[in-house]
Amino acid sequence: MKIKALFTALAVLVVAALPARAALELNEGDSVIVVGNTFAERIALSGYLDAMIHAANPEKKIVIRSVPNSADEVDDMPRERSVPPAEFYLKRHGADVVIMCFGMSESFDGLGGVDKFKADLTKQVETHINAKYNGESAPQIVLVSPIAHEDLDSPLPTGDAVVQRNTVLKAYTAAMRAVADDKGAIFIDLFTPTQAEYSNKKAKPATMTNNGIALTEYGCFFTVAEMAKQLGWYD
């Protein structure tokens, strides 16, 4: 599918059936900052996230800044000395909404790392909630789960290895949901719909990832559309 066609399809999806009240409601001029890992990088480069937000909030002049880094984990965001940390952009742009995309890199610590991930994520969410980046109020927090691992056959991980990976990713997704529920954040589950989409081989026009976990263009389109749906921006 061509990029223009995908953008058009995304806009149509979002504006076709806007509910009376969405899970995430933005005000005019709100500043939305996206932080996270490779997933966040891929959707930022695709442009679909920006298109989705603007399509769902026309005339509101929303400001969007994506500052992810493929090496980032919720408790470890390495930067070269001359590169500002994510918090710099949250403060500089007065974040009203912080979209946090984590869990994939951390999941390679296995089931034994779930509790630490949950504790680290809780601490980071609390830091954002206690900060008034816009000078007036705490930002709205949106937690975005990792996607499921796609089985692309050998020589990539396949069969039981992918089943085991998805068992772990499901646990990290559950941990994110628990943190969101506890801290009053909005939660987006991308694990469940992507796992279902992988099984839908006849309807799926292309692979969702190029290595099992890093999104292709179609994967970006699908996941951003799912984000819009779970945010209540289309039915």
Side-chain angles (χ1 to χ4, degrees), residues 26 29 38 41 44 52-53 80-81 102 106-107 120 134 136 146 150 157 190 195 199 211 216 230:
L26 300 180
T38 303
E41 279 192 336
M52 178 265 286
I53 291 173
E80 293 184 4
R81 185 173 300 178
F102 292 103
E106 295 90 340
S107 72
D120 290 338
N134 62 13
E136 298 178 356
E150 184 175 23
L190 293 182
Q195 188 174 48
S199 301
N211 63 357
T216 59
Q230 293 188 38

Side-chain angles (χ1 to χ4, degrees), residues 36-170:
N37 49 26
T38 303
F39 167 84
E41 279 192 336
R42 292 289 177 101
I43 60 171
L45 290 170
S46 75
Y48 294 134
L49 181 63
D50 297 55
M52 178 265 286
I53 291 173
H54 288 302
N57 299 274
E59 310 300 330
K60 288 187 178 180
K61 300 179 180 179
I62 305 300
V63 177
I64 306 164
R65 294 287 185 274
S66 292
V67 291
N69 188 307
S70 59
D72 281 0
E73 296 184 2
V74 71
D75 70 328
D76 186 16
M77 302 181 188
R79 296 291 188 275
E80 293 184 4
R81 185 173 300 178
S82 60
V83 179
E87 288 76 11
F88 169 84
Y89 297 100
L90 294 168
K91 295 174 182 177
R92 179 172 184 175
H93 298 292
D96 298 293
V97 179
V98 182
I99 299 177
M100 303 174 63
C101 308
F102 292 103
M104 179 59 76
S105 295
E106 295 90 340
S107 72
F108 287 98
D109 287 334
L111 293 175
V114 172
D115 288 345
K116 180 181 184 303
F117 170 68
K118 186 176 179 181
D120 290 338
L121 183 62
T122 297
K123 182 178 179 180
Q124 189 66 257
V125 169
E126 289 175 346
T127 296
H128 293 323
I129 289 175
N130 291 328
K132 295 182 179 180
Y133 297 121
N134 62 13
E136 298 178 356
S137 58
Q140 297 186 78
I141 306 296
V142 180
L143 298 184
V144 182
S145 87
I147 63 172
H149 194 120
E150 184 175 23
D151 192 336
L152 296 178
D153 297 323
S154 182
L156 294 166
T158 187
D160 289 343
V162 171
V163 171
Q164 293 173 14
R165 281 288 299 139
N166 281 328
T167 297
V168 173
L169 285 164
K170 185 175 182 179

Side-chain angles (χ1 to χ4, degrees), residues 6-7 9-11 13-14 34 39-56 64 66 99 101 144 147 188-190 193-194 208 215-234:
L6 286 172
F7 269 117
L10 180 62
L13 282 174
V14 172
V34 184
F39 167 84
E41 279 192 336
R42 292 289 177 101
I43 60 171
L45 290 170
S46 75
Y48 294 134
L49 181 63
D50 297 55
M52 178 265 286
I53 291 173
H54 288 302
I64 306 164
S66 292
I99 299 177
C101 308
V144 182
I147 63 172
I188 296 177
D189 173 10
L190 293 182
T194 53
M208 297 272 283
L215 295 176
T216 59
E217 184 180 336
Y218 173 66
C220 291
F221 171 80
F222 178 89
T223 53
V224 169
E226 183 63 35
M227 290 171 70
K229 182 177 180 180
Q230 293 188 38
L231 287 174
W233 290 347
Y234 84 89

